[in-house]
Amino acid sequence: MGPFAMMSWVVIVVAGSALLAVHLVLMVACAPLVRGGLVAGVARVGGGEGLPVLARWRLILSCARRHGVRAAGGVEIVPAMALAVALAACLLVPSFALGLPGAGLSDLLTVAGLLVLARLLPLLAALEPGGARAGLAAAGDTAALVVMQAVFPLTVAAAVMATGHGGIDALLTRLREPDMGSGRVSAMLMALALLLAGPDIGPGDEARAAERMVDLGGRGRAAMELARDLMLMAWITLAGDLAWPGGLAMLQEGGLLPAAMSLPGAIVAWLVRTGVICAGIVVARVVVMGSVRGTRGRLVLALLFATLAVVVLFADQEGV
């Protein structure tokens, strides 16, 4: 490798790392705003008085400044582990550009596994002996976790059938091609299934989350709250990518990083996707998921949409 090629490679790595850092900063900065907006939107549409959108960030920062009581046993490290896993999932979900460093690790199965683990860790901590209120709240979330485990294999199967890829970057690149046809329909169904099964956006989820963290304080509470918000942000971003991959900035010819001029528009497209999905969640939360029965229906719909994503592709292959 000559000096010029070596210098070009270094520039690409440095520029890619900078873009990856921007991606992660945007995900972290927007995550509490997204949950705050959802909580405020649901309250206002439902006729109540919602908290300010910035209330989530204020809560997290306020908890981070306090010194909470140290939890006993393995519970002490759970908030840090949950935050690290949620950050890793956010790092692997493209927000505004494809082909950033680490894209080869960005696999649907990997991201789904990380998000399930991030959801499971707080439940395991809450089920520790001595935490009755937290344990009861955690037990109420186990059904949703079971449905998540059922939806993800179907979603991954549909993605591989549609494009031949399980990697997120390769999958989204293929979905942008004009000949996809039923693959795009399947991707929309996958996005709906993920939104229904993944995020904790149902009635009572906020109250159960507060009960699970009743014994946490200080930085542990801050880490757990931020981890919840990052998980929600990852689900929404992944669903938005599947539903509208055309808004992502693409690699240039020769495998180079996306052109600088395409990045501002791609960031705006990501913010628009996120806003549209949040508005849809608010309406669905009030109209469809307004009760416990609605929550069960939501989980059934998640399985239905994931199954339909596979069926659509089977039907298309049979028709060929």
Side-chain angles (χ1 to χ4, degrees), residues 24 26-32 35 56 82-90 115 223-237:
L24 189 59
L26 286 174
M27 293 285 277
V28 173
C30 291
R35 187 177 293 278
R56 287 292 300 173
L83 180 58
V85 172
L87 281 170
C90 283
L115 289 169
M224 199 72 88
E225 294 281 6
L226 184 55
R228 284 187 67 226
D229 296 348
L230 288 171
M231 283 187 282
L232 175 63
M233 193 72 215
W235 284 125
I236 289 176
T237 302

Side-chain angles (χ1 to χ4, degrees), residues 155-165 171 174-175 179-187 190 309-310 313-314 316-317:
T155 304
V156 174
V160 174
M161 287 177 61
T163 65
H165 301 286
L171 166 65
R174 181 76 177 91
L175 286 173
D179 64 338
M180 280 308 297
S182 62
R184 287 204 184 93
V185 176
S186 181
M190 284 188 273
V310 177
L313 295 170
F314 268 123
D316 184 64
Q317 291 179 2

Side-chain angles (χ1 to χ4, degrees), residues 71 74-86 121-122 125 213 216-227:
V75 182
E76 181 183 347
I77 64 171
V78 166
M81 290 176 61
L83 180 58
V85 172
L121 284 170
M213 293 182 279
L216 281 175
R219 293 176 182 174
R221 176 67 178 269
M224 199 72 88
E225 294 281 6
L226 184 55

Side-chain angles (χ1 to χ4, degrees), residues 285-301:
R285 171 68 174 78
V286 173
V287 176
V288 180
M289 298 182 286
S291 65
V292 175
R293 184 177 297 177
T295 301
R296 292 173 187 152
R298 163 197 164 197
L299 299 179
V300 171
L301 281 174

Side-chain angles (χ1 to χ4, degrees), residues 134-227:
L136 287 172
D141 283 342
T142 53
L145 195 60
V146 169
V147 174
M148 288 167 67
Q149 297 280 27
V151 166
F152 297 148
L154 288 171
T155 304
V156 174
V160 174
M161 287 177 61
T163 65
H165 301 286
I168 294 177
D169 274 44
L171 166 65
L172 296 176
T173 301
R174 181 76 177 91
L175 286 173
R176 292 168 60 102
E177 296 178 5
D179 64 338
M180 280 308 297
S182 62
R184 287 204 184 93
V185 176
S186 181
M188 290 289 293
L189 293 169
M190 284 188 273
L192 289 170
L194 291 176
L195 281 175
L196 287 167
D200 52 341
I201 52 174
D205 281 340
E206 292 295 325
R208 281 194 295 272
E211 290 290 333
R212 285 199 307 270
M213 293 182 279
V214 70
D215 297 321
L216 281 175
R219 293 176 182 174
R221 176 67 178 269
M224 199 72 88
E225 294 281 6
L226 184 55

Side-chain angles (χ1 to χ4, degrees), residues 265-299:
I267 292 175
V268 171
W270 169 59
L271 294 175
V272 170
R273 285 199 308 268
T274 302
V276 170
I277 289 174
C278 287
I281 289 174
V282 168
V283 173
R285 171 68 174 78
V286 173
V287 176
V288 180
M289 298 182 286
S291 65
V292 175
R293 184 177 297 177
T295 301
R296 292 173 187 152
R298 163 197 164 197
L299 299 179

